[in-house]
Amino acid sequence: MLPTHVRTDVTDKERRAYLRRDEYLEEGEEGWAAEARMDTRKRGPAPLVDGDAFDRQRAIPDFDQALVERSVVLVLGTGGVGQDVALLLGRLGVKEIILVDKDSVEASNLNRQCLGFKHDVGNKKVASAAKTLRKHHALRSQVTEAELDAVARWDQVVHLARKADVIFNAIDVGATFDTAVASLAKDLGKPLVVGQSYGWTYTSEFYSGQPGTVGAWDQGAVDRLFSQEKGAAPAGGEGSEKCVKKELRKVMERWGVAGDLAEYCFDAAVEAKPGTLAEAIDGYRAAAVVLLSPGNIVRIGDLKFLPKPHPIPTRFVGSWVVPCMGCAVSMLGQWVNYLTGPATMKRDPPTFVQYDIAAGGSLIETTAHNMKQTASLWAAGMPADELAETLVPTRQFSSSPSEDTVYTPALRRRLEILEEKLFFGSGPVYLQSVPGTTESLCAAEVAVTDDASTPSEALRTPAGEKIVVPEIPSKSHVLRPLGAGAEGDAACAPAAVPAFLSGAPLLKVPKPAGQQGPGVIEGYRSGVRSALISNRYKKTGRVKTWYRLKGCGNRDDGAFPLEPLGDHGELTPRGSGFRESALCEARMCRVIANAGIPVANVPVCFWRYALAGDASPAVEKWCGVFETIGDRRAGDHLTSGLIQLFPLMVPVCLMPDLAEKIAALRRGDGGEGAKTQPAPAEPAEELLPTDMAAACGMPVCDASRIPLYEAAPKSKPDDVLWNVCSERLNQNLLRLKDEAEFSGSILLHVAKRIGWECGDVLRRLAAARVSWGSYKDALGTHCNAHANNLVVDPALGERLLSALDFDMAFDEASYDARKGIGPLEEVLQFEQAAGMRQVLAGSSFASTGVKNTVQDALPPECKHVVPLAFYDTMVHAYDAALVGTAPNPYIPELEPVVADVCKLALCLTQEVVA
């Protein structure tokens, strides 16, 4: 029975991660039969989805339909070849087809231009082709038409090429235009497919655009175009320089060149004081070639500085539908082979194909592997030192990969491991089982009690030395059976204890010498006294759950040494959690989750250590075990990384302009154009640092409003995750500039979100009458309300951050004002102003644990203005969120860009232990 409807959304909704492989069935496996036929020997496709228009493409082994459907394609020229290319793309199911042409339909076009009809004669080719494509052939593709002169409006061609994932050049302008398109593709790193047909013949060329690969550069055609006037008589004689200039002007008139760039080439030619017209033409040509080269080709507005070619008229050689369609088929085949060719075959499609119909179908193929350097090939494209900084030039790193299918399984797994480390690891740590007990929170809960805890004065070492431990201004806590009256509800309910954590406690140990010993578990470092370990699926090795062990030994060596940290040299155990702080955190996780705050840690159980030879047996050593979402901190990891990323994405030469705009925003003029009497530009070093401005009550600004030229950072040798994120960010930034209504800075937009989320957390804590933990004891002044007590959520969605570290927190029910620094209201105000706000302002003096010294790693031009831009933006957003006057600045369209920016920032701070 035939379906009653046609579906073109199957990829996104049901087959996103599907890619059929060319796999043989094992004998006896379902589907295998004794009769040796393809359908009884090979594994079949996924079950048919009724109405799926692309089912037969999806059924081809190794054909990545998801990758095809994400592709935006630029087609230059809508003549015989260009229209056939567009028709095939519409049937293929690409995301968008962009058509460019300026000519009108003529009657003689209709024999080969398959998207035109008799009634289209006199209409613009691009409009009639787009109309037919939308009505009859674009099964799912958006069709965009651009009626423009590609020579005069080259800047628009560049704009459209940035948006596209591949360029098809079928425009019949001449060899110099083809050279410009080839240079553009090389500069943008985009695949380029070139095709033409004439008489009985067609040719198609494919170039991947990847660094270090061959590209198209018709140097012979360029030389011939400029040398056609060299036969003119030399100037010679009195005033020859003036005569050469005059003769060069005449040549330029015959060439038909015009505009500022033509004048630039003229000035460059005469500046060398040529003695002959031929030398002057060579000088003009050299200047024109510089403009055509990668690096400059994206910056010029037109190609009118190039001599107008005089191609052989189409009517002289003739043209018809068969070579036009054959050329289009060859071009599409070369690109799709590169994009999603069979994994078992070489992925490099033929670089050059020529097909002669009159000679009985003779085919010439030349690949990039055996291609010799000729006048029509150009293998440079960029400086030699940049060629080395390249991704592997295969389709895995094409400009528009489809999620979960474009990467090989090995590469996918490698990226998973790298991202795991990015969000959880700062280096290895080793743990081993030691004597002690485990207390599950599934059968018990924490409640507040008025029972007195052991006074700090009573704690001594066996030798009689005084020991001090943190004294939270809180009432005591007690563990009691579940349901015995402790307050709270199911929010942040305790998680089940996995088997590998339910036995004896784990303690950090020195790195094993040689092979890892029996019973030793490897995890990641986290701060001084914590570690992270994971529970993995046995079959796949993928992480099931991550756990934070808080208080499992000092640094990397384990044990709980005594160190003098008190006001008068008192000793305190290092690397340990304590009974009160561990119980407090388990309870406060639930209280804070009930306040609507995203919480990073879910309590699982406690470990109580019973170590022989403990240096301080009077102090119970506890370790809290939590399910956790991550370990990268908002302060020393994310913010610090973003500040370091800034000069890698924004030209340093823009720093003075950035400083001036920040000064204007601080003055309140919006940083817009000049006033009647504009204030003089304020040098960056004269801008008051954010922490000082904030402390003095002076205004700070939202610098995310400032438009900045931001580009993805360069690739790094052997850094796969960095390179994948950078390449993806490059494509998303280009799309963002074309599609989204966003004109500010992406980097500072992330800073704004960090500031807002910090302010939102502090606002919700105050509303719930909860302190993150601010007090003074024998160990000093503590303030837990700081950016390092929020971690980056690997989902990087609507919320970037989640709160954690509540071992010093207290609420109205548990606060003991006799031990505190004042009424609870004053404590909350202290945390909002002197705690979180000063840290976000860049203060390196606040007692918080956030370093705020990242400026030391910046180039001299950035040391002052870049941190200031970030700190101003974060404080501005923090203040707005704190009083509840601003909504979450999350923008769904920016999510992919923000995610890659955050990952690149974390790459820069991966080895920082916070």
Side-chain angles (χ1 to χ4, degrees), residues 662-684:
I662 290 173
L665 287 170
R666 280 187 171 186
R667 290 194 301 269
D669 65 12
E672 305 295 339
K675 296 180 178 180
T676 306
Q677 292 182 333
E682 189 168 354

Side-chain angles (χ1 to χ4, degrees), residues 677-696:
Q677 292 182 333
E682 189 168 354
E685 58 272 12
E686 294 183 11
L687 285 168
L688 195 65
T690 307
D691 58 336
M692 296 179 64
C696 298

Side-chain angles (χ1 to χ4, degrees), residues 211 382 384-391 714-717:
M382 58 180 63
D385 59 335
E386 291 186 24
L387 286 175
E389 298 181 13
T390 174
L391 295 170
K714 290 183 178 181
S715 59
K716 294 182 178 182

